[in-house]
Amino acid sequence: MNSSRLVAWDHKAEQEASINHLVGLRKNTSGGLKVDPIGKNVAKAPEKLPAFDPRQFLKRFVTGITSREYRNHQSVFSQGAVADSVYYVLNGKIKLTVLSKRGKEAVVSILPEESFFGEGCLAGQVLRMYTATAVQRSTIIRIEKPVITALLQREPEFSERFLAFLLSRNIRIEADLVDHLFNSSEKRLARLLLLLANFGQESKPIPQIPKMSQETLAEMVGTTRSRVSFFLNRFRENGFIEYSGGGIYVHSSLVSILLHD
């Protein structure tokens, strides 16, 4: 088989896998496709596991766990701080950023609710490699390293959920890489907005996403602010998004940008 054709086939398969993972397209038993959860005609899906709330495990510990409310733009921890705990987003969203030695800041990720972060301390990380900041009013649970270590050793259900989160995030990182390598900046922006609105994820979609600067979106997409502005205006003109209450309301129809060749 021609090697160039093989590479092209793999590339297309990776793209389709990335898109399917985002919008919830999965093969059913008859070989067709069902749309879940964005499509209008949704086939009955298998029952999901109950929502994961780590507090049911954490309440067994008297010390080592704290819960705190963070305002929009308030820092949870800074790059270079001592890494001695793991955090859980009970509600809200957290932005992870890295600052280079030359002073350039890059957005690594925007984490939705039910996400862990700061778990590098469990793998021997001594100092934080990034800064974590709330991008809307958020409730964050801080779990000290000895406590979460004990949970992972003693509680199989907690360990299973924690591992599932890490694997899911690795899949997301792989999909992000494919997205950056092969998709246009327009598709990358559409995918980012859908992810920020929780479409295609386990948690319930939240179409209204908080106000975010075009510079931040441009950093995450890997393009210029002017291109982001151009595509946002086009999305709005086509009815895919609306500006509402200081934020962006994302309609599920935005997924058509991803599915268009």
Side-chain angles (χ1 to χ4, degrees):
M1 181 181 291
N2 185 288
S3 59
S4 62
R5 292 181 61 187
L6 178 61
V7 170
W9 182 87
D10 286 341
H11 161 210
K12 184 173 180 60
E14 284 181 324
Q15 283 188 302
E16 291 178 351
S18 175
I19 292 173
N20 291 349
H21 176 69
L22 171 61
V23 302
L25 293 177
R26 299 182 179 89
K27 293 277 186 179
N28 63 23
T29 54
S30 62
L33 288 172
K34 64 179 181 180
V35 181
D36 171 32
I38 293 178
K40 295 181 180 179
N41 300 318
V42 180
K44 186 176 180 180
E47 292 185 6
K48 292 184 178 180
L49 292 172
F52 178 54
D53 187 349
R55 289 176 295 182
Q56 63 180 307
F57 301 98
L58 299 176
K59 65 184 179 182
R60 304 170 192 176
F61 294 83
V62 178
T63 60
I65 305 107
T66 54
S67 179
R68 180 178 171 184
E69 297 283 337
Y70 288 85
R71 304 183 306 276
N72 187 21
H73 303 309
Q74 185 175 3
S75 175
V76 179
F77 59 74
S78 299
Q79 183 175 331
V82 175
D84 58 1
S85 53
V86 175
Y87 293 81
Y88 180 79
V89 186
L90 194 61
N91 58 63
K93 282 186 171 66
I94 294 294
K95 177 175 68 173
L96 306 183
T97 58
V98 175
L99 187 67
S100 72
K101 292 181 179 179
R102 296 184 178 180
K104 184 175 181 180
E105 186 179 75
V107 179
V108 177
S109 183
I110 301 287
L111 301 178
E113 62 183 43
E114 300 182 9
S115 295
F116 288 96
F117 63 100
E119 71 280 356
C121 67
L122 300 176
Q125 188 181 98
V126 178
L127 301 177
R128 301 294 186 191
M129 297 183 65
Y130 51 78
T131 294
T133 308
V135 293
Q136 64 184 75
R137 194 172 188 85
S138 304
T139 303
I140 308 298
I141 296 176
R142 179 179 181 272
I143 313 167
E144 292 184 4
K145 182 178 177 179
V147 173
I148 195 164
T149 300
L151 279 171
L152 292 171
Q153 292 173 347
R154 303 174 190 171
E155 299 291 345
E157 183 181 355
F158 183 89
S159 299
E160 181 181 353
R161 295 297 189 108
F162 187 74
L163 179 59
F165 165 78
L166 294 179
L167 292 174
S168 176
R169 192 169 66 182
N170 281 345
I171 292 172
R172 162 79 181 274
I173 291 171
E174 290 176 356
D176 288 345
L177 178 59
V178 171
D179 187 45
H180 275 271
L181 288 175
F182 298 118
N183 284 336
S184 65
S185 53
E186 181 181 26
K187 285 188 176 183
R188 296 200 303 270
L189 178 60
R191 179 175 179 271
L192 174 61
L193 293 175
L194 288 164
L195 287 171
L196 289 175
N198 286 0
F199 284 109
Q201 302 186 60
E202 290 298 321
S203 51
K204 183 179 179 181
I206 308 173
Q208 179 81 28
I209 62 177
K211 185 177 180 180
M212 192 173 298
S213 71
Q214 293 183 358
E215 287 81 3
T216 297
L217 291 173
E219 288 177 2
M220 299 184 70
V221 170
T223 188
T224 63
R225 190 204 63 77
S226 60
R227 294 295 287 169
V228 166
S229 177
F230 173 79
F231 292 132
L232 288 176
N233 286 333
R234 186 150 75 180
F235 293 165
R236 181 170 53 84
E237 291 169 359
N238 289 327
F240 297 146
I241 65 171
E242 298 176 31
Y243 292 106
S244 174
I248 300 176
Y249 189 93
V250 180
H251 293 279
S252 59
S253 56
L254 181 60
V255 77
S256 63
I257 298 294
L258 297 180
L259 300 177
H260 184 269
D261 290 329

